Amino acid sequence: MAAEWSVLLLTCQRGGCVSAFQRELEARRLRGGLGPRPPALLLAVEDPWARLGSGGATLNALLVAAEHLSARAGCTVVTADVLREARILILHTGRDFSFDDCGRAFTCLPAEEPGAPAEALVCNLDSLLWTMTHRLCVGSPPGVWVCSTDMLLTVPSAPGIDWDGFQGVRVIAVPGSQAYARNHGVYLTDERGMVCDIVYKGTEAQIQQCARPDGTVPLVCGVVFFSSDAAEQLLATHVIPPLDACTYMGLDSGAPPIQISLFFDIVLCMAKGVREEEFVRGGGDASVRSARAVLWTALRAFPLSMACIPDASYDYMTTSASDHIRSLTLLPSSAGHLHFCRTAHSHVDQPRLLEDGSSVTNCLLEGAVRVAAGSAIQHCHLQGPLEIGPGCLISGLTVGSSLALQGCPLRDVVLQGHHVQLRDLSCCVFTLTGRLDDWQSPAEEATYLNMPWAEFFCRTGIREGDLWDIETPQQSRCLLSARLFPVLHAQEALGLEDVLWLLAPAAVAGKQLARWRAAWRMSWQELLPCLDKAAELGARQALFFLQGQRKVRRVLLGRQDSSLLPLARSAVHEGYHEAMLGTLDEVASTASDAGIAARALACVAEVLGCMARGEGGLRSGPAANGEWASAFGRLESGDVAGGVRELAAERQKWLSSPALLVRAARHYEGAEQILVRQAVMSSCQFVTVGQAELPPLGHWVQVACPARLDLSGGWSDTPPITYEHGGAVVDMAVLVDGCRPIGARVRRIGQPELRLVSLGWPPQSEPAAELVCRELQHLRDYCQPHAPGALLKAAFICTGVVQFPSQKPLCAQLLERFGGGFEVHTWSKLPHGSGLGTSSILAGAVMASLYRAAGKVASTQSLIHAVLHLEQRLTTGGGWQDQVGGLVPGIKIGRSKAELPLRVEVEEIPVPNGFTQTLNDHLLLVYTGKTRLARNLLQDVVRSWYARLPSAVHNTDALVNNAEECAQALRQGDLPLVGKCLDCYWQQKKCMAPGCEPLAVGRMMEALRPHVYGQCLAGAGGGGFLYVLTKAPRQKEALHQILAKMEGLGNFSIHSVEVDTGGFSVEVVGCDLKDGSHPGGDMAL
């Protein structure tokens, strides 16, 4: 559950680059960082005055929000009525921050957001936005929330704020220690939680008076909520002098500036323990006293309550470098949706050199870069060898600074690179301070680089007159105003060495002093207004995507289960998609195996899909446009690098519209499948074929196969999952209504041709399809699954009975090797899309009979891998569980390791005596009457896997684990536990392929649930057969009666099922079979 904002406003100081902050808000909208329903209005609002105060900034932002809402409502003037149902969030960026040029709001946290739809740096602003939207503000009535961004705030998932009967204004507090409160504000409340006073930096006695029973005090944490009524009254003051000066309208009207505090002027006037005379008199100058009088009149009637959030934490971001480094290096394991980590959004060549207690965020560290505990590095591209000692904060350094840092001892310092705009001149300036330095303490009492100023002067030769004008009073001579930092040299480029020399011993420092004195230098106070926030944000973004490119290489080449889809989305949103596409092209063309290259091409397809921005049609679709044929041909021939180059060249022609982008993405998925096929076809090395006696001419070789039930683990056998993750599937060979429903027969014939016959069903019907191939070109479409006889054509090629392509004609090949041609009959007594593994088992039956009819023989293990090879040549892209289930007798578990070449190993599962018969008595097949469309499901699953969506990765782990648990349950003969595994398996299938449970099937399963231990749709789901494990034995009639009473189920039927312990049969049956006849018994379908 999340709060839904009408307006989100981010205030910034005057001259604070409002356009850059507006872009940042829009970027968060694009990447989904503002929730499922982002605000209709996103506004970055510049303060009208330089020192407006939090209260003035709140009033100005409220006016801007009301004005925009009024305009959207069709009004020609600002009306407070628009606030009645509005939900407004105002975030104040506040004052400048010594340790981040973009302020506390955009200070990056050493954290990542694993569940985010798009990958991005996590700023304090993002953390606060999430906390406000998903925690604090959930359930609140319409009104205005105001939140500072100068603190780190975490809130438990259930804050426990009671909004029943709420009126007026409510402040949010966080429990803190009395010691911490000495430098902060605390609320004094009565027993009902009504605020009596706000105590700021109070005495020990005052703070003790605010204490709660547990000894903690309610800290002011910068969050306050105004009800709609209170917000209307506050808005009304914007036209009353002197408060009109707080708004941009006042600026435009020539009103003199005024500074107003949110808490000590606006909120305090509603505290019940505050008296009017004291309140107004405490306002300082006359204009503030007048403003306080207006606020008292407008807001005094509203009750001011407090909600103190148990287990929440609050940490004000002070100007102390020690405090800031501590907040970056002493990390919680997680906070809400965030995962805090030592290396966040960074590429580090040698991560072992990062000590525990260090922090690296948005960095590219190449070579040997050692970072000691207690140091933090942010937004840096550095090349080793480098050593960063303890107590350091390093930020904003580019790779060109690395040389200057080598051999330079860094310890307890803050070293920063800054983007500065000096009128029309953009430049980079470096600042260097000590961790223990205080910015504003007088020099005679303070330190610079952690040493007294006098010692610093003595060591470097710098004089006070170099840093401060002679007329500057002693009390004003402080680090903040010291002109320490070179900005420009007359004829040389500025470098990091221009500040690093300040750390050098006296003997070395003397050489640099003249150069330093000759430079144009500025103080931090003078630099602050010149900081280029837009350039800084842009540089951070560029570095983020540079390390992102390294992440792409690392994840793909390291075969890591990390999703690159969030990074792809961000690259598209931020305009870095070309760089990412180039990196993916490079990985694909230089990868050591086809599996890595295939995943890289799948990632290209994802980038193209993201570029279409949800338009252009469905991602799944045809991928055989002739414009891509040349590139596909290169891939098929094994020239991966050449194929990738041609794909990239062709891609450039398809970027002009969403429709073309989606079609290009489909073709990249087609290219990926070529490489997947090549990877899987490595399994053909596990096919061993021996010689056997050639059956007489005209004698049929007949193979009859059981169907299969997948009891757990399916989808883990599907390429590329099976060779990238590893798979395990528990299968059962079954008779359906007492017969083996799938079969093939082959005989040699005198004519040098191939006769391909698909027998119809029921037995008395005419053959469903007949085809005669007399020339090699008739086999050319063997790789098009929907072409007539494609599976049989592929079987002739994959068994080596026919060489294709070849210069030798088909008839010559057949006569020379076999003295004639072949006739093949195939049949299946199961409906199309049954989910019982028909097509793969049929392929196994055809290959087994074809091998034998050609005088060869292959083991069951060889047939399993031969079918894998055939289905890749056929381009159907199947896994291995179907042929394992139908060709290996009984109950077994098949496994494959996460490696190439792909090898399937099968283990029989021994069950207790009598348990096979127990299964026969309790298992039933229910034909749902629904036909599944497995190919679409397969495309979606492979796409999710290649994107490494966390749900897909975790679910694949669960599938394999459940398969092992199911195998153990079968070994124990534990029927209820087997049923539990079936139910778990069905949930896993639905997670893997959402949409695989039709509504009618869901109703059917719900009706059967009280009567079964477990149930699951066979195969990929979406229709076909449902198998159920009943609690009572022999429940066929009982289940039929239950389902017959339900409306809208259509043409369902129930069938008996038995474990086939014999396996498929191969026999030479002579030549007297009638054409079109079927072996075996009938099924009551």
Side-chain angles (χ1 to χ4, degrees):
M1 190 175 179
E4 295 182 4
W5 304 112
S6 311
V7 192
L8 192 156
L9 303 100
L10 181 67
T11 70
C12 60
Q13 290 180 310
R14 184 165 180 81
C17 201
V18 66
S19 58
F21 287 179
Q22 183 69 43
R23 285 195 299 273
E24 289 294 312
L25 290 179
E26 295 295 342
R28 282 157 176 76
R29 186 210 300 270
L30 280 174
R31 62 180 182 240
L34 301 180
R37 297 182 65 181
L41 288 170
L42 286 177
L43 302 170
V45 181
E46 187 176 58
D47 293 346
W49 309 106
R51 301 183 63 82
L52 185 63
S54 57
T58 299
L59 183 56
N60 183 61
L62 182 58
L63 172 61
V64 172
E67 187 173 6
H68 279 76
L69 288 172
S70 298
R72 290 175 69 90
C75 303
T76 57
V77 295
V78 176
T79 172
D81 293 342
V82 295
L83 300 180
R84 182 60 48 190
E85 297 299 324
R87 298 174 187 271
I88 298 171
L89 174 60
I90 299 172
L91 294 153
H92 293 312
T93 58
R95 295 182 290 273
D96 294 311
F97 189 42
S98 308
F99 311 116
D100 197 293
D101 292 357
C102 298
R104 292 172 172 86
F106 291 98
T107 296
C108 285
L109 305 181
E112 296 180 353
E113 189 176 356
E119 188 170 330
L121 298 174
V122 179
C123 300
N124 188 37
L125 173 68
D126 302 301
S127 176
L128 289 170
L129 263 173
W130 193 91
T131 297
M132 297 296 289
T133 302
H134 296 272
R135 295 279 170 90
L136 266 184
C137 308
V138 174
S140 66
V144 178
W145 282 91
V146 184
C147 178
S148 168
T149 61
D150 60 5
M151 76 292 193
L152 302 172
L153 180 67
T154 59
V155 174
S157 57
I161 303 175
D162 183 8
W163 294 103
D164 288 345
F166 169 77
Q167 290 181 322
V169 177
R170 174 164 287 167
V171 292
I172 304 299
V174 170
S177 69
Q178 295 185 36
Y180 188 84
R182 293 193 194 106
N183 293 309
H184 294 276
V186 292
Y187 293 112
L188 175 64
T189 63
D190 65 13
E191 65 282 356
R192 295 185 302 112
M194 306 305 292
V195 178
C196 300
D197 200 358
I198 304 175
V199 178
Y200 181 66
K201 292 186 177 181
T203 64
E204 187 172 337
Q206 288 175 315
I207 293 172
Q208 179 61 41
Q209 191 180 5
C210 301
R212 296 153 61 85
D214 62 359
T216 63
V217 291
L219 298 173
V220 176
C221 71
V223 181
V224 60
F225 174 71
F226 294 85
S227 66
S228 296
D229 289 339
E232 285 185 35
Q233 286 299 312
L234 178 60
L235 176 64
T237 66
H238 86 274
V239 296
I240 304 174
L243 287 173
D244 60 340
C246 294
T247 69
Y248 80 93
M249 286 188 175
L251 172 67
D252 293 348
S253 302
I258 186 173
Q259 185 174 4
I260 295 293
S261 164
L262 173 61
F263 286 91
F264 295 104
D265 290 318
I266 294 178
V267 172
L268 186 62
C269 73
M270 294 173 277
K272 59 182 293 188
V274 174
R275 298 291 174 258
E276 179 177 7
E277 183 179 351
E278 295 174 359
F279 173 72
V280 173
R281 192 173 61 242
D285 63 33
S287 62
V288 175
R289 290 196 296 273
S290 176
R292 282 190 162 202
V294 173
L295 291 169
W296 183 277
T297 302
L299 301 176
R300 180 61 184 178
F302 290 103
L304 178 63
S305 58
M306 181 196 73
C308 191
I309 312 300
D311 301 320
S313 66
Y314 162 84
D315 189 9
Y316 179 74
M317 300 170 73
T318 71
T319 57
S320 162
S322 296
D323 289 349
H324 187 59
I325 293 171
R326 189 181 305 115
S327 70
L328 296 178
T329 54
L330 295 180
L331 307 176
S333 58
S334 63
H337 64 306
L338 297 179
H339 171 65
F340 286 86
C341 44
R342 186 168 56 193
T343 54
H345 299 297
S346 297
H347 174 83
V348 181
D349 277 354
Q350 299 185 34
R352 61 185 176 80
L353 297 181
L354 306 183
E355 295 184 7
D356 290 340
S358 62
S359 172
V360 177
T361 305
N362 193 37
C363 288
L364 184 52
L365 304 185
E366 300 172 316
V369 179
R370 184 180 297 276
V371 183
S375 284
I377 307 181
Q378 295 196 322
H379 317 303
C380 289
H381 181 181
L382 300 175
Q383 290 179 339
L386 295 176
E387 185 155 349
I388 310 298
C392 294
L393 172 64
I394 314 295
S395 176
L397 302 186
T398 61
V399 67
S401 301
S402 300
L403 188 61
L405 281 172
Q406 291 175 8
C408 179
L410 294 182
R411 184 186 184 97
D412 292 325
V413 296
V414 178
L415 178 59
Q416 296 172 279
H418 310 274
H419 290 86
V420 172
Q421 185 73 32
L422 302 171
R423 294 196 177 179
D424 297 330
L425 176 65
S426 298
C427 58
C428 186
V429 174
F430 302 98
T431 59
L432 177 68
T433 56
R435 178 175 64 83
L436 303 177
D437 297 343
D438 183 275
W439 285 100
Q440 293 182 306
S441 294
E444 57 192 18
E445 307 169 4
T447 63
Y448 177 57
L449 294 177
N450 308 311
M451 67 184 81
W453 279 97
E455 180 181 339
F456 170 75
F457 292 146
C458 180
R459 196 176 74 169
T460 60
I462 293 174
R463 299 186 295 267
E464 281 196 56
D466 293 324
L467 304 181
W468 299 285
D469 296 333
I470 192 168
E471 62 270 15
T472 304
Q474 285 294 327
Q475 285 300 107
S476 299
R477 296 187 178 190
C478 61
L479 177 56
L480 186 65
S481 60
R483 295 192 182 95
L484 276 163
F485 310 117
V487 175
L488 285 175
H489 289 297
Q491 295 179 325
E492 302 174 76
L494 193 72
L496 190 59
E497 59 275 9
D498 286 297
V499 293
L500 286 179
W501 78 273
L502 299 172
L503 292 169
V508 179
K511 301 176 184 179
Q512 295 287 339
L513 180 58
R515 173 183 165 89
W516 177 84
R517 282 197 171 123
W520 176 24
R521 304 184 312 279
M522 297 175 71
S523 67
W524 181 239
Q525 192 171 45
E526 292 166 332
L527 280 171
L528 276 173
C530 304
L531 296 177
D532 190 339
K533 294 180 174 60
E536 175 61 27
L537 291 168
R540 293 179 185 182
Q541 185 184 78
L543 181 56
F544 171 79
F545 285 109
L546 184 61
Q547 67 81 27
Q549 289 173 256
R550 299 296 181 91
K551 175 181 179 179
V552 169
R553 295 189 187 94
R554 183 174 71 246
V555 167
L556 295 180
L557 297 176
R559 296 179 173 87
Q560 297 176 8
D561 283 339
S562 300
S563 177
L564 295 175
L565 180 56
L567 182 61
R569 291 192 182 112
S570 285
V572 170
H573 295 328
E574 307 290 351
Y576 283 83
H577 50 276
E578 287 294 342
M580 189 166 186
L581 288 171
T583 301
L584 292 169
D585 290 341
E586 177 196 339
V587 172
S589 60
T590 59
S592 58
D593 66 52
I596 293 174
R599 185 179 174 191
L601 295 184
C603 290
V604 172
E606 288 292 2
V607 174
L608 296 173
C610 292
M611 290 169 66
R613 300 183 186 273
E615 301 177 6
L618 297 174
R619 279 288 304 277
S620 298
N625 187 290
E627 300 295 321
W628 300 82
S630 176
F632 282 15
R634 283 189 177 273
L635 295 177
E636 294 277 14
S637 70
D639 181 8
V640 176
V644 171
R645 280 196 303 271
E646 288 202 21
L647 286 170
E650 184 62 32
R651 180 177 72 214
Q652 293 301 118
K653 308 172 188 175
W654 297 67
L655 305 180
S656 59
S657 73
L660 289 176
L661 284 163
V662 168
R663 291 167 63 193
R666 293 171 182 168
H667 284 80
Y668 262 92
E669 288 185 342
E672 148 227 309
Q673 285 301 314
I674 293 173
L675 298 182
V676 170
R677 289 198 293 273
Q678 292 177 350
V680 176
M681 283 194 288
S682 63
S683 65
C684 67
Q685 64 186 270
F686 304 117
V687 178
T688 304
V689 179
Q691 295 298 315
E693 183 182 353
L694 193 68
L697 192 71
H699 281 235
W700 290 101
V701 176
Q702 183 165 288
V703 174
C705 294
R708 73 95 186 89
L709 288 183
D710 55 315
L711 302 186
S712 56
W715 285 122
S716 73
D717 67 304
T718 304
I721 300 172
T722 190
Y723 63 74
E724 292 186 348
H725 177 278
V729 183
V730 175
D731 270 325
M732 181 188 296
V734 294
L735 307 176
V736 181
D737 288 337
C739 75
R740 292 174 178 155
I742 302 163
R745 62 186 180 220
V746 180
R747 67 177 176 182
R748 288 190 299 120
I749 57 177
Q751 297 85 348
E753 62 188 22
L754 306 179
R755 296 179 190 169
L756 314 179
V757 180
S758 176
L759 300 179
W761 186 262
Q764 298 76 21
S765 65
E766 293 295 318
E770 293 187 58
L771 188 66
V772 178
C773 300
R774 297 187 176 90
E775 300 176 13
L776 278 180
Q777 67 178 13
H778 294 158
L779 303 181
R780 193 177 303 276
D781 58 357
Y782 78 94
C783 58
Q784 299 174 21
H786 300 296
L791 186 148
L792 303 183
K793 295 173 185 178
F796 274 102
I797 294 169
C798 291
T799 55
V801 172
V802 174
Q803 299 299 318
F804 180 91
S806 174
Q807 297 298 317
K808 187 175 290 188
L810 177 62
C811 61
Q813 291 189 42
L814 294 173
L815 286 171
E816 182 179 305
R817 299 178 62 195
F818 305 106
F822 290 87
E823 181 175 354
V824 183
H825 291 185
T826 61
W827 63 88
S828 170
K829 302 173 185 179
L830 301 170
H832 176 69
S834 66
L836 300 183
T838 305
S839 59
S840 298
I841 297 171
L842 183 61
V846 170
M847 296 187 85
S849 56
L850 193 52
Y851 274 132
R852 186 66 187 86
K856 302 177 182 179
V857 64
S859 66
T860 301
Q861 188 72 4
S862 290
L863 280 174
I864 290 169
H865 293 91
V867 172
L868 258 178
H869 179 239
L870 178 146
E871 291 191 326
Q872 299 310 310
R873 297 288 295 271
L874 187 61
T875 71
T876 51
W880 47 256
Q881 63 143 315
D882 295 346
Q883 58 265 39
V884 168
L887 299 179
V888 180
I891 308 169
K892 58 273 173 183
I893 180 169
R895 298 185 181 92
S896 63
K897 295 180 180 178
E899 63 185 21
L900 287 173
L902 172 59
R903 182 170 191 168
V904 183
E905 297 176 326
V906 184
E907 175 194 337
E908 178 188 353
I909 300 176
V911 298
N913 290 335
F915 188 66
T916 299
Q917 184 56 48
T918 300
L919 285 173
N920 295 342
D921 291 340
H922 288 261
L923 269 174
L924 287 171
L925 275 179
V926 181
Y927 182 59
T928 64
K930 304 292 181 183
T931 301
R932 66 179 176 86
L933 300 173
R935 185 158 180 82
N936 287 341
L937 292 178
L938 176 62
Q939 287 178 319
D940 291 343
V941 169
V942 171
R943 188 177 300 126
S944 296
W945 173 254
Y946 265 139
R948 289 304 194 275
L949 298 182
S951 59
V953 175
H954 296 156
N955 197 49
T956 303
D957 292 339
L959 282 164
V960 172
N961 293 337
N962 189 52
E964 299 293 349
E965 292 174 11
C966 183
Q968 187 59 27
L970 289 163
R971 293 186 192 100
Q972 296 169 355
D974 191 332
L975 208 63
L977 187 55
V978 173
K980 182 180 178 182
C981 290
L982 297 186
D983 279 344
C984 179
Y985 182 32
W986 180 234
Q987 296 307 315
Q988 291 165 350
K989 283 187 180 182
K990 290 195 291 184
C991 177
M992 207 69 171
C996 68
E997 182 181 272
L999 289 174
V1001 173
R1003 292 177 54 234
M1004 186 181 289
M1005 296 177 81
E1006 188 63 35
L1008 297 178
R1009 186 161 287 113
H1011 310 281
V1012 301
Y1013 286 126
Q1015 55 189 327
C1016 185
L1017 275 179
F1025 280 97
L1026 169 71
Y1027 57 92
V1028 299
L1029 190 65
T1030 60
K1031 293 178 178 176
R1034 296 174 290 281
Q1035 292 292 295
K1036 182 175 179 179
E1037 291 302 322
L1039 296 194
H1040 192 281
Q1041 291 177 15
I1042 292 169
L1043 297 179
K1045 295 176 183 178
M1046 298 180 64
E1047 296 181 1
L1049 290 189
N1051 186 28
F1052 79 90
S1053 54
I1054 302 181
H1055 306 270
S1056 64
V1057 61
E1058 305 166 49
V1059 179
D1060 184 352
T1061 56
F1064 76 98
S1065 60
V1066 181
E1067 51 185 341
V1068 180
V1069 295
C1071 54
D1072 57 349
L1073 291 176
K1074 295 179 181 179
D1075 289 347
S1077 65
H1078 294 72
D1082 293 349
M1083 290 172 55
L1085 281 180

